[in-house]
Amino acid sequence: MAKARDASITIIGGGAIGCAVAYFLAKAGHRDIQVLEASELCAQTSSQAAGLVGQVRLSPERTRLAMNSVAFFSKLEELTGVSPDWLQCGSLRISLTPERTSEHLAMADVAKDCGLKVRFLEPSELKEMLPTIEIAKVHSALWCPTDGYLQPNSLVNAYVAGARSLGVTFATNTVVTAISTVQNRVASVSTELGDFSTSMVINAAGPWASAVAQMVGLQLPIVPVRHEYFISEQAQGWHRYLPVLRIPDLRIYARAEGSAVLCGGWEASAKSLDPRSINATMPLSVEPDFDVLAGFHENIASIIEGLDDIGVQSVFKGYPAFSPDGKFIVGPVRTIEGFVMAAGCNAHGVSGSAGLAEHVLESIGPNPSPYVRSLSPQRYLESSWDYPNARRLAQSAYENYYALGASAQGGSSGVKS
Ligand SMILES: Cc1cc2nc3c(=O)[nH]c(=O)nc-3n(C[C@H](O)[C@H](O)[C@H](O)COP(=O)(O)OP(=O)(O)OC[C@H]3O[C@@H](n4cnc5c(N)ncnc54)[C@H](O)[C@@H]3O)c2cc1C
């Protein structure tokens, strides 16, 4: 690993976002880039992700972003020499009610407008694809053959390999403790090893992004909200090519992990951290909440046969960062030249990493699109908000991840995966 150094561009955070941004910037011709990571690469939130990549969404922007991600993941090995272990096994959105089916019909319309192939399955087709499903409970099933999942560590390794080949350096075990500005311009970053000059800082610090923003005196509502899933013992009939399942009426998602079941969900009562309580050196550890996990288990066992008595092998957990409006927080800050945000992933930061990195690239270019401008941190820097309310909204974005009837622009349904 390299050491921290003077660099034109310093990216803080070596998770999926920081590494994707490093790769996309370098690929676009930016030079003299370093990534500074407090622990190891892909060791925090990104390492915990389920790796689901879902393109079927209510908003056309998110649908297109996810479609771009899928196209990109399919060629990443060719580009970097490292496979992200992307498996295009397809996905099923299972509806248990007519209301949910209406929502899925709307999603299918958005998909069609965006050129994404999806279709509703006949019951016999569903049973053939997923023999253990209790078909009598299913109202409809929307199939997207090009969805799938990847392994987050492999994805980050691919970004890192690609970025390194273009000259990016990565310094691990390097905590940025301060950022200095001169005449409202980013000038240097401080670490244990000393100060290093830099003219651009990109804040890709995940759930610590609010603390990093505070280093330059900015308050941004980037709220860590707890999320977890379990991996079961081996389950009969489960294999890696089974489609990814989303069963929003039961608030759960699932996929096979080898021949085990990976199952997570969006519990009705979210737990968040106050961003003001987090500092740059603070580990964010999460204890498994077995009551919540038992709820996910009960829900999946209520619709998939053979899982009643299955044991849990491991639990993955962390604090993905949510924003109050459910949208990414991406782009330069007007009042501090050279300070750029790449955060607020709303539990979408692995599958959306490539798209978000492209947004960052576009945001620092001459002519960002209206959509990319709508992600600007200025929306929070130029309006009044307070932390308790920001937390409530971020928790609500989490709790309503699979809720019916939320608006398609931002908000809870804007982030549906
Ligand atoms: C259980 C779970 C399941 C999930 N499933 C999915 C999924 O299926 N699909 C999906 O797309 N997303 C999923 N997510 C969300 C996804 O993991 C996050 O959106 C994504 O990892 C965010 O990436 P990041 O790089 O912003 O954050 P991180 O991976 O947390 O990276 C931020 C990095 O910044 C570093 N850092 C912080 N402060 C400093 C500092 N001062 N100096 C130096 N370094 C610093 C940290 O050490 C950390 O490594 C899931 C999350 C969880 C917890």
Side-chain angles (χ1 to χ4, degrees), residues 200-234:
M200 182 179 284
V201 160
I202 299 182
N203 178 357
W208 293 268
S210 177
V212 169
Q214 283 170 36
M215 290 179 190
V216 288
L218 299 174
Q219 302 293 328
L220 283 170
I222 299 164
V223 183
V225 184
R226 187 190 70 178
H227 185 54
E228 54 190 340
Y229 62 80
F230 68 84
I231 295 182
S232 73
E233 294 164 338
Q234 298 204 346

Side-chain angles (χ1 to χ4, degrees), residues 12-18 36-40 43-52 174-177 204-208 212 215 227-229 253 280 316-320 342 345 347-352:
I12 302 179
I17 297 299
L36 303 183
E37 165 52 49
S39 59
E40 299 296 334
Q44 302 299 326
T45 327
S46 302
S47 67
Q48 301 299 298
L52 310 188
T174 304
V175 183
V176 174
T177 51
W208 293 268
V212 169
M215 290 179 190
H227 185 54
E228 54 190 340
Y229 62 80
Y253 58 80
F316 285 66
K317 56 220 175 340
Y319 279 107
C345 298
H348 185 42
V350 167
S351 57

Side-chain angles (χ1 to χ4, degrees), residues 14 55 145 210 324 331 372 413:
Q55 303 164 92
S210 177
V372 167
S413 64

Side-chain angles (χ1 to χ4, degrees), residues 285-329:
S285 57
V286 190
E287 288 305 312
D289 185 331
F290 285 105
D291 288 341
V292 169
L293 293 163
F296 299 159
H297 176 213
E298 197 178 308
N299 284 351
I300 193 161
S302 74
I303 184 98
I304 306 284
E305 289 160 4
L307 299 181
D308 285 325
D309 299 321
I310 198 101
V312 168
Q313 190 193 102
S314 51
V315 175
F316 285 66
K317 56 220 175 340
Y319 279 107
F322 278 71
S323 57
D325 62 5
K327 292 165 94 174
F328 298 146
I329 299 182

Side-chain angles (χ1 to χ4, degrees), residues 214-401:
Q214 283 170 36
M215 290 179 190
V216 288
L218 299 174
Q219 302 293 328
L220 283 170
I222 299 164
V223 183
V225 184
R226 187 190 70 178
H227 185 54
E228 54 190 340
Y229 62 80
F230 68 84
I231 295 182
S232 73
E233 294 164 338
Q234 298 204 346
Q236 200 159 16
W238 284 71
H239 57 81
R240 63 195 293 261
Y241 299 104
L242 275 185
V244 171
L245 303 180
R246 292 181 180 81
I247 314 177
D249 296 310
L250 298 175
R251 294 175 161 273
I252 54 168
Y253 58 80
R255 69 164 171 86
E257 174 69 9
S259 53
V261 183
L262 179 161
C263 177
W266 310 95
E267 66 269 29
S269 186
K271 303 252 181 311
S272 72
L273 299 177
D274 187 328
R276 292 168 297 182
S277 69
I278 298 166
N279 65 50
T281 51
M282 182 176 151
L284 295 180
S285 57
V286 190
E287 288 305 312
D289 185 331
F290 285 105
D291 288 341
V292 169
L293 293 163
F296 299 159
H297 176 213
E298 197 178 308
N299 284 351
I300 193 161
S302 74
I303 184 98
I304 306 284
E305 289 160 4
L307 299 181
D308 285 325
D309 299 321
I310 198 101
V312 168
Q313 190 193 102
S314 51
V315 175
F316 285 66
K317 56 220 175 340
Y319 279 107
F322 278 71
S323 57
D325 62 5
K327 292 165 94 174
F328 298 146
I329 299 182
V330 164
V333 165
R334 259 179 232 141
T335 46
I336 303 170
E337 202 177 318
F339 191 79
V340 179
M341 292 299 303
C345 298
N346 293 281
H348 185 42
V350 167
S351 57
S353 54
L356 190 145
E358 282 185 320
H359 293 343
V360 171
L361 180 63
E362 191 180 326
S363 77
I364 59 174
N367 196 16
S369 66
Y371 176 66
V372 167
R373 272 187 266 134
S374 78
L375 307 177
S376 164
Q378 295 305 131
R379 69 189 191 274
Y380 292 113
L381 297 172
E382 291 169 2
S383 66
S384 66
W385 53 272
D386 61 74
Y387 279 102
N389 202 34
R391 277 180 79 185
R392 262 194 301 278
L393 288 168
Q395 286 178 196
S396 162
Y398 178 97
E399 289 159 359
N400 291 311
Y401 211 87

